[in-house]
Amino acid sequence: MRVIRGAGIDKEFDNGLAQERPLDDLDREVLKTGRAAYQQATGAYGGLTLHSVLPYVAKTNQRGIDCLKCHDVADVEVIGATSIVISLADDMAEIHRIDRRLWIGQAVVQVFIFLLVRLIARKAVARPLGELCDSITANGHDKDFTRRVSACGRDEIGQTGAALNCMLGEVQDALHGIQLPGAAVMREGVCSTSRPCFFTPFLPRM
């Protein structure tokens, strides 16, 4: 921390100590404009620092005090400033630690969400779709139109299973209608010749 003297103080008193002189452009800017200024910089040991310069402005009523009674300067003239350099190394290290923890926490949450979505998708999509595929494959293999697929749920898979069951029922009814006349013919047991007819048509299971 340094106290910087303005030109008005130098006129009243001596030039002061060397450390009371403005050392950089930030000090001179504040003495010229009367506005506080802040700047990040790299310290002597490579750490990040915050350089703050706060002006002292002489006023007739500065928090109830008339500065012009003690200083022979004009009203609202900058008579000095305070230069403060604060190390941000510890704060930046803490920010980096928090940042790493946030990244690790985010990675854990993402893995958990991925596993949860995978479990839900497997239970709600993969398993019903696999059962539907197995039922269709079995029906196509053994021609058993009495088998029905598990059609639970109101999603697309459940609607597909329900439509397939409806189609299997219609096919079963159609085959049943064909089987009845065929069975009646077979009960006659004779063909146009005197030799019995042993023709047996292939009929799927109903």
Side-chain angles (χ1 to χ4, degrees), residues 22-71:
L23 300 180
D24 51 29
D25 294 338
L26 195 65
D27 294 343
R28 287 184 283 271
E29 178 186 352
V30 172
L31 291 177
K32 180 179 179 180
T33 62
R35 293 192 296 267
Y38 306 90
Q39 184 181 64
Q40 287 187 0
T42 302
Y45 300 99
L48 189 65
T49 61
L50 177 64
H51 185 192
S52 305
V53 182
L54 308 175
Y56 294 130
V57 181
K59 297 181 181 179
T60 55
N61 184 10
Q62 178 73 354
R63 299 179 181 177
I65 299 175
D66 186 0
C67 302
L68 303 185
K69 289 183 179 181
C70 298
H71 299 286

Side-chain angles (χ1 to χ4, degrees), residues 175-197:
L175 291 177
H176 185 68
I178 296 173
Q179 186 180 19
L180 289 179
V185 172
M186 292 176 62
R187 281 196 299 268
E188 295 294 335
V190 294
C191 297
S192 57
T193 62
S194 59
R195 184 175 299 176
C197 179

Side-chain angles (χ1 to χ4, degrees), residues 117-132:
V117 171
R118 182 179 179 182
L119 178 63
I120 294 175
R122 183 176 180 181
K123 183 177 180 180
V125 178
R127 184 179 300 173
L129 189 60
E131 294 176 354
L132 179 62

